[in-house]
Amino acid sequence: LCSIKMARQTKLSVIVPTYDEVDNIRPLTERLFKATKAAGLTVELLIMDDESKGTPQTEKIVKDLIKEGHPIRIHVRRKGEGRGLSSAVLLGFSMAKYPTVLCMDADLQHEPEAVPKVAEPVLNGDADFSVGSRNVDGGEVAGWTMIRKVISLGATILAWPLTSCSDPMSGFFATPIAVGKEENKIAMLWDLKSD
């Protein structure tokens, strides 16, 4: 038996689906690039924006961030182009520049400082899929109403036949892009989450 360990990857495309997240774009971007730079990662940020009343302001913020030197792109999906979280993520996969992708929410519940740790098992070649979970030591669900917690629990129970992950509704995950494109499970989990 002969095995070869691949070199650690350091390039990551971060995909962030948004809908009216104007207030979070700048802090998310600044915190993300500070954390990934400290971890020695080369990162691009793709904002996959479903058109909303905040879209013009989001586009302006992204243009300003580009002028400041941040490698960020935005794709605004106009109303006739498609809607919803899972299709935005899959579109982000198709637009990603780097071979490893990480998806996270724009609401800052997924801390940008955690991105290097969530991506690490995939970048190191130790896993094909890594989830940033609320159900681990130090994890939490902050600011959720009881109904949102119940809906999340129900969706998690529905996902049990598809995965052994304790938090498949997290929406904070990394995968090699080839796996992400091949695995319909990812799209199904995102469909369960919020489409």
Side-chain angles (χ1 to χ4, degrees), residues 153-171:
L153 176 62
T156 298
I157 291 168
L158 288 172
W160 279 346
L162 303 173
T163 180
S164 61
C165 179
S166 68
D167 195 8
M169 301 303 117
S170 161

Side-chain angles (χ1 to χ4, degrees), residues 50-161:
D50 277 355
E51 187 176 30
S52 70
K53 66 181 185 324
T55 293
Q57 185 65 22
T58 298
E59 289 176 304
K60 181 186 179 314
I61 292 167
V62 169
K63 284 180 186 174
D64 290 344
L65 289 164
I66 291 168
K67 287 178 188 172
E68 294 168 22
H70 295 289
I72 180 174
R73 293 185 279 154
I74 186 169
H75 178 82
V76 177
R77 296 190 321 157
R78 305 296 175 193
K79 296 212 186 294
E81 192 179 346
R83 311 293 289 166
L85 191 56
S86 62
S87 60
V89 170
L90 293 174
L91 180 60
F93 281 3
S94 73
M95 296 176 67
K97 181 163 85 171
Y98 297 128
T100 302
V101 293
L102 180 137
C103 297
M104 64 186 297
D105 291 345
D107 62 6
L108 300 175
Q109 292 263 341
H110 301 153
E111 294 184 358
E113 294 80 8
V115 165
K117 277 291 192 198
V118 173
E120 184 177 30
V122 176
L123 291 170
N124 287 343
D126 297 329
D128 283 338
F129 197 79
S130 176
V131 175
S133 177
R134 301 164 283 219
N135 299 334
V136 296
D137 287 340
E140 69 174 310
V141 177
W144 279 21
T145 64
M146 182 54 72
I147 189 73
R148 186 168 177 192
K149 289 178 183 178
V150 169
I151 290 169
S152 179
L153 176 62
T156 298
I157 291 168
L158 288 172
W160 279 346

